[in-house]
Amino acid sequence: MKKHHKSIALVTGASSGIGKATAERLALDGYIVYGTSRKGAEGSSRAFEMLALDVTNGASVEAAVAQLIRREGRIDLLVNNAGFGVAPAGAEESSVEQAWAIFDTNFMGIVRMTRAVVPHMRKQGSGRIINIGSVLGFLPMPYGALYAATKHAVEGYSESLDHELRTRGIHVSVVEPAYTKTNFDANLLAADAMLDDYSATRAGLNERMAQLFAAGDEPGVVAEVVLQAATAANPKIRYTAGGLAGRLQLLRRYAPATLVDAGVRKDLRLDTTTAPMARAAS
Ligand SMILES: NC(=O)c1ccc[n+]([C@@H]2O[C@H](COP(=O)([O-])OP(=O)(O)OC[C@H]3O[C@@H](n4cnc5c(N)ncnc54)[C@H](OP(=O)(O)O)[C@@H]3O)[C@@H](O)[C@H]2O)c1
């Protein structure tokens, strides 16, 4: 594997969790790493420097990328990691404003970062973009509809972008983790238009999701996969991260849809009598 000493990397959402682990892992591999946080330099470590950046604000994105280019003159790797979830939440329990808000960070944030960084990579004739997706980007779960929709958007955008840029020496990959032990579950937003009708389901899911996150992967598992995608001679478009994510991808690809549907419900302790055995899921 090629060493990337002095390659310049930018990792959004590096104040905690997967972003922080990724920034540290890349630094250990020899990258010069800039992490970002809405809180600015707070949280800087010896391994990497922090820039202030809010991915929902175009001016903030432009300023952070300009600052990095002023200092280093180039950017070799962009890891779009900043994101959050709204769950457990029935799809109808989120206002349209909340739907916009999650798309603004999880998807439009990637669009803003990409538009700011790609011109520099095109000029260089090289670069890597790695977007942190999720298994929910290929396997939607109930009561996480908006989050799953943002991650499906990330998948589609990334694949299109890779098609466009690969002939210019720029490669795009999506890394798809499953449950990972970070601040993600503590930072989950509750629905802003909750309905009593969902109370019992919500209580059951809160309990089940706490168990699933507690049994999740360490963020270092995802960081290792990001490094693999960043340094592969011929990077793949999709990388699952962790054992569960790999198994889910195999199931999604090869198992009958009815079986996968029932499995999702069973895993979340939801009523499986409504699995679409008789509905012939397409
Ligand atoms: N944990 C999981 O189970 C899991 C599974 C699959 C995928 N993921 C994905 O992994 C990524 C990282 O999440 P995590 O698990 O590491 O959660 P986390 O510990 O909550 O970290 C989220 C990071 O995103 C940043 N962020 C949030 N909104 C931002 C904004 N508007 N502008 C800039 N930064 C923002 C936060 O930084 P500041 O608050 O400092 O600004 C923080 O550093 C997300 O895209 C998430 O969807 C997580």
Side-chain angles (χ1 to χ4, degrees), residues 97-115:
E97 288 71 29
Q98 187 165 50
W100 277 120
I102 187 170
F103 266 90
D104 204 14
T105 296
N106 291 13
F107 179 64
M108 291 307 297
I110 292 183
V111 174
R112 291 185 188 96
M113 292 301 302
T114 302
R115 291 197 72 256

Side-chain angles (χ1 to χ4, degrees), residues 88 198-210 268-270:
Y198 292 101
S199 298
T201 309
R202 187 181 311 116
L205 279 171
N206 271 324
E207 202 176 306
R208 181 61 185 143
M209 283 172 62
L268 293 172
R269 312 283 190 259
L270 294 169

Side-chain angles (χ1 to χ4, degrees), residues 12-19 36-39 53-56 80-85 105-106 132-135 147 151 176-185 187 213:
T12 67
S15 61
S16 75
I18 292 170
T36 79
S37 163
R38 287 167 296 183
K39 300 186 281 284
L53 179 124
D54 180 347
V55 299
T56 67
N80 283 311
N81 164 78
F84 70 92
T105 296
N106 291 13
I132 305 300
S134 164
V135 292
Y147 179 74
K151 294 299 185 179
E176 304 160 331
Y179 298 100
T180 310
K181 288 181 198 155
T182 67
N183 291 337
F184 185 80
D185 49 332
N187 289 336
F213 277 110

Side-chain angles (χ1 to χ4, degrees), residues 50-259:
M50 277 292 209
L51 302 175
L53 179 124
D54 180 347
V55 299
T56 67
N57 179 325
S60 165
V61 167
E62 292 293 337
V65 172
Q67 193 181 350
L68 181 146
I69 295 294
R70 257 197 319 276
R71 284 210 214 163
E72 305 292 346
R74 61 182 293 115
I75 176 163
D76 300 289
L77 171 64
L78 167 64
V79 182
N80 283 311
N81 164 78
F84 70 92
V86 178
E92 60 170 318
E93 291 188 290
S94 285
S95 66
V96 169
E97 288 71 29
Q98 187 165 50
W100 277 120
I102 187 170
F103 266 90
D104 204 14
T105 296
N106 291 13
F107 179 64
M108 291 307 297
I110 292 183
V111 174
R112 291 185 188 96
M113 292 301 302
T114 302
R115 291 197 72 256
V117 163
V118 165
H120 301 286
M121 290 183 169
R122 262 195 297 108
K123 227 178 283 170
Q124 294 163 193
S126 67
R128 295 275 165 105
I129 299 174
I130 297 175
N131 295 327
I132 305 300
S134 164
V135 292
L136 299 196
F138 62 79
L139 181 58
M141 72 173 251
Y143 304 100
L146 290 174
Y147 179 74
T150 65
K151 294 299 185 179
H152 274 68
V154 171
E155 294 273 344
Y157 183 76
S158 304
E159 189 163 341
S160 293
L161 193 65
D162 184 78
H163 267 301
E164 295 172 16
L165 296 179
R166 65 175 73 136
T167 54
R168 298 171 185 269
I170 303 165
H171 293 281
V172 184
S173 301
V174 190
V175 170
E176 304 160 331
Y179 298 100
T180 310
K181 288 181 198 155
T182 67
N183 291 337
F184 185 80
D185 49 332
N187 289 336
L188 282 172
L189 283 194
D192 64 352
M194 278 185 196
L195 299 170
D196 287 345
D197 233 14
Y198 292 101
S199 298
T201 309
R202 187 181 311 116
L205 279 171
N206 271 324
E207 202 176 306
R208 181 61 185 143
M209 283 172 62
Q211 293 168 351
L212 291 165
F213 277 110
D217 290 309
E218 294 298 330
V221 169
V222 186
E224 209 57 48
V225 176
V226 173
L227 179 67
Q228 192 190 335
T231 54
N234 293 303
K236 298 189 293 181
I237 292 178
R238 292 181 176 80
Y239 290 81
T240 53
L244 176 60
R247 289 194 296 281
L248 291 175
Q249 193 214 48
L250 285 178
L251 276 175
R252 184 58 154 174
R253 197 174 289 167
Y254 300 113
T258 49
L259 201 77

